[in-house]
Amino acid sequence: MLRSVEQKRQGPVAGGDEDRRVAELRSAVARLRRRLAAHPVEFADRSIAEEELAALDAAVAGGLPEVPRLRRSLLLIVGAIGSVSALSPGLAEVRRAVDLFGGPVRGQG
């Protein structure tokens, strides 16, 4: 059976695997957590970033998470590690994955 692009973005076919958005977010979070763990430099808000990445992972572990909670965690993570340029590619991946749940926030293209 063929599926539209929107159906593929929104979730699984009945009886299929987990929602693709959930899988993408879990994967992006796991990659950023690994990059953060391997980052040799300590910085003041590292523990906040680690806690919020763990919270994001827990939020999607049970299926479809609450979008406001995802956005709150993303905002805290950006605030905590946004200036660490070595982590910015991973941070961008997490942001794109969060955006899959509700599109860009007002004021963003």
Side-chain angles (χ1 to χ4, degrees), residues 5-27:
V5 172
E6 189 61 26
Q7 285 175 321
K8 288 179 184 176
R9 252 189 247 138
Q10 294 302 312
V13 176
D17 295 328
E18 76 178 332
D19 187 311
R20 289 185 196 325
R21 299 171 300 169
V22 170
E24 286 188 41
L25 182 55
R26 292 191 84 186
S27 180

Side-chain angles (χ1 to χ4, degrees), residues 60-99:
V60 296
L64 289 177
E66 296 177 18
V67 175
R69 177 66 178 118
L70 295 179
R71 294 209 176 277
R72 180 184 178 280
S73 287
L74 179 61
L75 182 61
L76 290 169
I77 294 165
V78 168
I81 65 174
S83 64
V84 181
S85 61
L87 300 173
S88 59
L91 185 56
E93 287 179 35
V94 171
R95 179 175 178 231
R96 280 191 297 274
V98 168
D99 283 347

